[in-house]
Amino acid sequence: MRSQITVLFPIFATAVLVLASGSYSACPPVSGNLRVSQRDIYPEGVEFSPSNCKIYIGSLNNNSVVEFDPYTSATEIIEFPGITHNWEYFICGLDYSYATENIYVSASARAPWFNPGSDAMGKNLTGPNRLIKLSPLDRSVIWQADINPVIEEIGQQIGTPIGGFQDSAEDQDGNAYFPSSFGHTILKVDVNGQASKFYIAESEKLNTDAYGFGGLFTTDENVLVLSDGVTGGFVRFDLSGPNPSEPLFSKPTNLWTKYDTVLDCDSLIAPRKFNQTVALCSDVVNRNLSPHGMITVYASEDGWKTSRYIGAIPVEFGQSPDVWSTAQFATPEGVYALSSALPYAEGTFPKTNGTTLVDITEKVVELLHSSEHDLPAEILNFESLVQSKDEL
């Protein structure tokens, strides 16, 4: 069952803020693999909305969002005029804000990621970039923020272009943080859709050619955490005070020696199921464990001031050769991996008739309960997971 919805909206700097009621009932449990039957779906980002118990998938090539009901398997296609079917864009990351109870959709310029005839990323940092605030309850756009004026201002300030805005995370006040993967810069988009500069790296860390900030999340303590492929570590900002802290760069311990793409993440999540002490990183570049990449798992005992590498889950889900996992998402009960049909080197896409959301909860639990890691109670203090491997 499928229907299509076109969302009409203007581009504006100031938007109407919709106040969330916060009175939604708990969602029924979701478990097991989920098949999304939708022709020409090209998944890149994915998110679960507890406001209405639906799953939202960003379709990369045609720049729409697919709303999926995990209980009935029904789908709705949400289109954005001027963005959907526009070759200049890629719909990349999606993120649910618990502060505003809305979905934030990253509409990134296509050029930094793929260009016809070239498989090099980060060489062309031109093109339009938007952040869309979408209500999951009625599929309406609350605002669409054009961030290009701020991008151009930063480019003039540092003397080099930046680009690759693929994911966002939101703080306890509903402000969104929108980093560039090429350029080590973070923009802040406030609750009304106004974009501003939040962080520009010092000159020694300013690298617009290499892939840097990839995924990010915020915690209930109002801490912003990003993955950084350039330094091979996490970057932490404390947002709890009147002013954000200086960034703390830290590298995970316990890394295996042959791991040369540490925190080169396409996405990064910290599921509430694990009290936000465990993070999952989509590494689609590394081929050491699987030709399809892997999902790496990290843990922190101190609010991500420090962290340790726990292990990796090979992306071997019985998928076709051109399918990867560019993102994960969490439900209240579990963790899922998105099966993603990435474009070929020339930027064209394979034909698809659907995608599978793979339940990897047990794989993550097995890693966390492995005796070799000896994780403390602070990390393993989630009631539903205190069980032996035999019970999984």
Side-chain angles (χ1 to χ4, degrees), residues 281-358:
C281 160
S282 296
D283 188 337
V284 300
V285 177
N286 196 288
R287 305 290 186 267
N288 287 333
L289 291 184
S290 166
H292 303 280
M294 59 186 180
I295 301 164
T296 51
V297 181
Y298 301 86
S300 175
E301 304 171 42
D302 55 9
W304 299 100
K305 294 176 183 177
T306 62
S307 62
R308 72 167 95 173
Y309 172 79
I310 300 300
I313 300 169
V315 179
E316 293 292 352
F317 306 141
Q319 73 273 40
S320 61
D322 50 16
V323 171
W324 313 78
S325 184
T326 56
Q328 290 76 53
F329 71 97
T331 66
E333 301 82 24
V335 182
Y336 281 80
L338 180 68
S339 298
S340 311
L342 293 180
Y344 301 119
E346 64 272 19
T348 60
F349 284 76
K351 290 294 183 181
T352 63
N353 291 313
T355 189
T356 301
L357 308 175
V358 182

Side-chain angles (χ1 to χ4, degrees), residues 222-239:
N222 226 14
V223 170
L224 172 66
V225 181
L226 303 94
S227 62
D228 183 17
V230 171
T231 62
F234 289 106
V235 185
R236 180 188 190 272
F237 294 86
D238 187 342
L239 307 176

Side-chain angles (χ1 to χ4, degrees), residues 108-136:
S108 174
R110 179 185 293 247
W113 308 111
F114 297 103
N115 289 281
S118 173
D119 59 357
M121 294 192 301
K123 302 303 180 185
N124 182 355
L125 301 181
T126 63
N129 296 274
R130 307 284 188 267
L131 184 64
I132 302 168
K133 186 177 181 179
L134 176 70
S135 169

Side-chain angles (χ1 to χ4, degrees), residues 9 19 26 40 50 66 70 106 109 111 130 133 161 177 181 187 229 235 243 307-308 330-331 333 346 377:
F9 57 89
L19 297 177
D40 293 336
V66 176
S106 303
R130 307 284 188 267
K133 186 177 181 179
Y177 298 86
S181 294
L187 273 58
V235 185
N243 297 301
S307 62
R308 72 167 95 173
T331 66
E333 301 82 24
E346 64 272 19

Side-chain angles (χ1 to χ4, degrees), residues 18 56 101-103 133-142:
V18 177
Y56 293 82
E101 298 180 342
N102 293 300
I103 299 284
K133 186 177 181 179
L134 176 70
S135 169
L137 298 183
D138 60 9
R139 309 183 189 97
S140 66
V141 168
I142 299 170

